[in-house]
Amino acid sequence: MPQPTKPKLGATLTSDGVDFAVWSFSAEKIELCLFDAEGAEQTHEMSRGDDDIHRVSLKGMSAGQLYGYRATGPYDPDRGLWFDPSKLLVDPYARELDRHFQHHRDLSIYSVDTAAIVPKAIVTEDIEAAIAPALLPPGGLVYEIAVRPFTILHPDIPEEIRGTVAALAHPAIIAHLKSIGVDAIELMPITAWIDERHLPPLGLTNGWGYNPVALMALDPRLCPGGMTELRETVAGLHEAGIGVILDLVFNHTGESDRYGATLSMRGLDNPAYYRHLPNDPGELVNDTGTGNTIAADHPMVRRLIVDTLRHFVSKAGVDGFRFDLAPVVGRTATGFDPNGATLKAMLTDELLKDRIFIAEPWDIGPGGYQLGNFPEPFIEWNDRARDDMRRYWRGDQWMTGALATRLAGSSDIFEKSGRGRSVNFLAAHDGFTLFDLVSNEHKHNDANGEDNRDGHNENYSWNNGAEGLTTDPDVQERRRRDIRALLSTLFASRGTIMLTMGDEAGRSQRGNNNAYCQDNEITWMDWRELDAGVMRHTAALSRLRRRFSVFSETGFFSGQGDVEWLSPSGLAMQAGDWDNPDNHLIGMLLATNDLENGRATRLAVLFNRGRDDADFELPGMGWHEVLTNAPWAGKLDSRSVAFCIEA
């Protein structure tokens, strides 16, 4: 039996006007506020239905109308009630805004009107996008992008679109992505966000976007052309064979803690939209470290989440989503539930069920570390792979077995799934860049205004003999060698792999490992300073990964002829090799199809993390290095990874 159609929420154009609808259980009254171009306000009281949806229909209205809401009810924060009709509220279903959010002290003060400082929602006409099969093959390369820092300095992009979503479809950007074999880009948040309140006094702004207010509305700074700009950009990237994944934040909003701003959900129905302590409705749960936690298991919040995902698929044609602090989406009053109703609703929705779902599988709440526990078809950011690959190349003891496990797809984590679901990465937006990882033993976050207290202290990093940037050519070469080795290790691992922008070419953030508030040269990608040699190496690794079928297979190794772990003698590793805490050498011998030449073969991947060159024999005859096509001479350079194919 078909499911009954749910009443639409938000602003919906009709044949003769606009229907407005917003949900609130706790409000006594909600008013629709219309604004003209000069900011003059006209209000209309909305009628409450039995479903607690407040509605009003206005004839003669068209797309482009500016609007917001005001909600009346008790103001009693100790009971979790924040009703204040002086606060203009953004529709949770707003699809476009007339301006970006800016923090102002009046947003947090009771009875002070905020209509002049809160963005207005825009009534928009929905246009359907072409929806194609999701573009991310098994074992594919995801490339994480912060839109503004990635494009703001590109010399070939017209100035008027630098720093915007439209720039991503420019031929120069597409050529770069294709040159390094990117299968899908993952856009850091592009929906409307607000600065954390401590930033404006420091002269800083949030440049990452992980502090949203309107979950559907694109931020006008990044996407001034609204959904049309995103839809056309997605289409252009699809034409080039590149998928688009949106990083969405469904774990908290920029309304922050008890002392934060009243902008939208807090003023409409704080008890429903946010999670509170069971016996203290005035105390917001903070499983996110941002001051509040979205109550994703509430039926109306669940609907908002699913409707937001559907909106970006149906109106922009995106290929999938990455979920920031994803356990929050699966949380109930008793903790994380991988079979929870919200996760199930996302994964079974007819429009969404074939999309890509990527989890950041941790939050800071009780039981918040959930790596390996998300339901199919989620793939998951694997921080253990990140840390083990870093620690191996840093020289930590007892890392041989850990490296082998991560190279093989982390069966210790994902075995119950029956297949690898790991997203392997070396660095992401949150932390050191790859260059900074091999250039700094300590974080350098002084520019963030918190006396270097923010950001992770343990990064499993090293500096190769000098802290930070240096002109010493020997240190510079050691760093390049380590970057090449780390990239080679990542590209030799089973699972989806991810690079963050610029790591293919030596981008630095000057040792800042928490650069969310640095919308400046610290995070902006300087295309003139990219390391061409490292970029060529990345491109070669990407071609190699596509050439051999073993890297696109999702099952786990059986050890029955599909993989063998080699010692430098060319023989199988023994217990003593695995148990040697300072072992510097390991080989991975893989059975694979060579898709370039249409034959079955063996591929050997050899690792030397030591400071000296080493002899490394291979079984059989006729081995050649894949990247140089030179015959294998049995000598493995220090701090390097070699790929060899059997003739």
Side-chain angles (χ1 to χ4, degrees):
M1 177 181 295
Q3 295 295 313
T5 302
K6 295 178 180 178
K8 288 188 175 182
L9 293 167
T12 305
L13 284 167
T14 66
S15 59
D16 59 355
V18 180
D19 292 340
F20 294 89
V22 63
W23 179 88
S24 176
F25 172 79
S26 300
E28 295 172 357
K29 180 179 71 172
I30 294 183
E31 294 173 297
L32 170 70
C33 307
L34 304 178
F35 296 87
D36 64 18
E38 284 71 42
E41 179 178 350
Q42 181 185 78
T43 61
H44 298 265
E45 187 167 343
M46 307 180 79
S47 298
R48 183 189 200 123
D50 293 339
D51 53 5
D52 296 311
I53 294 177
H54 302 248
R55 301 175 173 88
V56 65
S57 297
L58 300 178
K59 297 185 183 303
M61 192 171 294
S62 59
Q65 175 65 54
L66 304 181
Y67 76 97
Y69 298 119
R70 296 184 188 271
T72 299
Y75 180 82
D76 189 350
D78 288 339
R79 293 169 51 212
L81 300 172
W82 294 82
F83 293 107
D84 181 356
S86 73
K87 295 291 178 281
L88 185 72
L89 305 175
V90 175
D91 187 353
Y93 277 74
R95 300 192 291 282
E96 289 190 16
L97 300 175
D98 71 335
R99 71 191 87 164
H100 67 274
F101 286 97
Q102 290 184 287
H103 206 281
H104 192 286
R105 64 187 299 272
D106 290 351
L107 297 170
S108 304
I109 301 175
Y110 178 67
S111 79
V112 176
D113 196 275
T114 58
I117 54 178
V118 170
K120 316 302 186 292
I122 305 173
V123 175
T124 59
E125 180 182 1
D126 289 333
I127 299 174
E128 299 298 313
I131 303 173
L135 289 175
L136 181 62
L141 170 58
V142 174
Y143 188 78
E144 185 189 41
I145 291 174
V147 172
R148 178 171 162 83
F150 184 59
T151 63
I152 191 68
L153 295 180
H154 199 296
D156 296 333
I157 295 176
E159 287 191 21
E160 61 268 21
I161 65 169
R162 290 181 188 175
T164 71
V165 167
L168 299 174
H170 189 275
I173 294 296
I174 289 177
H176 176 76
L177 298 174
K178 297 293 286 185
S179 74
I180 57 172
V182 171
D183 292 299
I185 59 173
E186 181 179 296
L187 303 185
M188 289 165 58
I190 59 173
T191 55
W193 76 87
I194 191 169
D195 288 337
E196 292 82 355
R197 63 178 178 267
H198 74 279
L199 293 180
L202 296 172
L204 300 172
T205 60
N206 185 324
W208 283 0
Y210 290 97
N211 204 38
V213 178
L215 304 185
M216 287 188 187
L218 298 168
D219 195 288
R221 291 167 291 187
L222 297 185
C223 209
M227 190 58 71
T228 298
E229 180 175 337
L230 178 60
R231 180 172 56 252
E232 292 177 352
T233 299
V234 170
L237 288 159
H238 280 180
E239 188 175 344
I242 299 170
V244 179
I245 297 166
L246 299 185
D247 190 342
L248 297 180
V249 181
F250 293 138
N251 59 75
H252 79 282
T253 78
E255 292 182 302
S256 189
D257 58 18
R258 183 185 179 105
Y259 306 102
T262 298
L263 293 162
S264 180
M265 300 179 193
R266 167 174 288 168
L268 286 168
D269 200 320
N270 183 67
Y273 281 107
Y274 297 109
R275 196 172 299 286
H276 301 76
L277 293 182
N279 300 313
D280 188 354
E283 185 69 26
L284 289 156
V285 169
N286 188 17
D287 289 338
T288 63
T290 63
N292 66 51
T293 303
I294 287 178
D297 58 335
H298 188 284
M300 295 308 294
V301 181
R302 178 182 308 129
R303 178 177 171 183
L304 174 60
I305 290 171
V306 173
D307 286 349
T308 299
L309 299 177
R310 289 179 57 87
H311 173 67
F312 285 118
V313 174
S314 63
K315 305 307 183 292
V318 302
D319 299 86
F321 306 95
R322 182 259 188 189
F323 297 89
D324 183 65
L325 302 185
V328 170
V329 182
R331 280 191 178 275
T332 68
T334 58
F336 176 75
D337 181 1
N339 301 309
T342 301
L343 290 173
K344 183 177 180 181
M346 290 161 39
L347 298 177
T348 59
D349 184 273
E350 284 298 317
L351 186 61
L352 303 176
K353 63 183 183 182
D354 69 340
R355 298 294 95 180
I356 300 155
F357 289 86
I358 303 175
E360 180 186 38
W362 49 80
D363 63 32
I364 67 167
Y369 189 76
Q370 293 293 334
L371 176 62
N373 293 329
F374 276 77
E376 296 271 6
F378 269 96
I379 54 178
E380 304 180 32
W381 275 26
N382 188 345
D383 62 330
R384 289 173 61 183
R386 175 198 65 194
D387 292 349
D388 286 347
M389 287 187 286
R390 290 181 176 192
R391 293 182 62 201
Y392 178 83
W393 286 104
R394 188 172 70 169
D396 291 13
Q397 292 186 318
W398 309 103
M399 294 307 299
T400 302
L403 177 69
T405 300
R406 303 302 158 228
L407 291 170
S410 296
S411 61
D412 59 329
I413 298 168
F414 298 105
E415 186 174 19
K416 62 186 178 184
S417 298
R419 71 178 186 97
R421 296 191 294 110
S422 180
V423 178
N424 301 327
F425 63 103
L426 297 164
H429 65 271
D430 191 7
F432 280 146
T433 68
L434 185 55
F435 177 87
D436 289 344
L437 179 74
V438 302
S439 306
N440 298 274
E441 289 188 354
H442 310 288
K443 64 184 182 181
H444 299 276
N445 298 353
D446 300 272
N448 296 356
E450 299 185 43
D451 297 323
N452 206 35
R453 295 188 303 270
D454 62 307
H456 292 293
N457 291 316
E458 179 53 87
N459 299 279
Y460 303 115
S461 62
W462 60 100
N463 65 20
N464 276 292
E467 187 73 3
L469 298 177
T470 180
T471 58
D472 186 317
D474 292 333
V475 173
Q476 290 177 336
E477 179 52 36
R478 287 197 292 271
R479 289 174 177 175
R480 289 191 194 97
R481 178 169 290 196
D482 283 358
I483 289 172
R484 291 194 297 268
L486 282 157
L487 287 169
S488 296
T489 305
L490 176 65
F491 277 77
S493 65
R494 295 254 285 202
T496 302
I497 61 173
M498 185 185 78
L499 283 178
T500 195
M501 66 177 206
D503 276 359
E504 74 278 16
R507 183 179 75 96
S508 173
Q509 291 181 168
R510 306 177 190 175
N512 192 319
N513 76 348
N514 190 35
Y516 76 101
C517 57
Q518 300 298 327
D519 183 18
N520 50 45
E521 291 84 356
I522 290 177
T523 58
W524 295 349
M525 187 155 156
D526 189 343
W527 294 81
R528 300 165 303 178
E529 297 295 325
L530 300 185
D531 189 316
V534 173
M535 195 152 60
R536 285 193 298 271
H537 183 71
T538 305
L541 291 171
S542 192
R543 291 191 297 270
L544 179 150
R545 188 172 174 86
R546 289 169 181 256
R547 175 178 172 181
F548 296 104
S549 64
V550 67
F551 299 118
S552 63
E553 295 166 0
T554 59
F556 295 118
F557 292 128
S558 67
Q560 304 300 312
D562 51 3
V563 66
E564 187 174 357
W565 302 98
L566 300 179
S567 68
S569 67
L571 301 176
M573 288 180 62
Q574 302 299 311
D577 300 309
W578 293 109
D579 294 339
N580 178 358
D582 297 309
N583 186 11
H584 295 320
L585 299 163
I586 182 175
M588 179 173 63
L589 185 61
L590 302 168
T592 183
N593 289 319
D594 179 354
L595 302 178
E596 187 176 286
N597 295 300
R599 68 183 181 94
T601 188
R602 292 195 296 178
L603 178 71
V605 188
L606 311 178
F607 301 82
N608 178 9
R609 68 172 183 171
R611 297 291 176 183
D612 299 311
D613 298 349
D615 295 329
F616 209 119
E617 300 296 325
L618 290 173
M621 303 288 290
W623 291 89
H624 284 72
E625 290 193 61
V626 177
L627 299 183
T628 65
N629 203 33
W632 177 242
K635 183 72 71 173
L636 185 57
D637 291 343
S638 66
R639 307 291 288 177
S640 75
V641 179
F643 297 85
C644 300
I645 186 172
E646 190 173 33

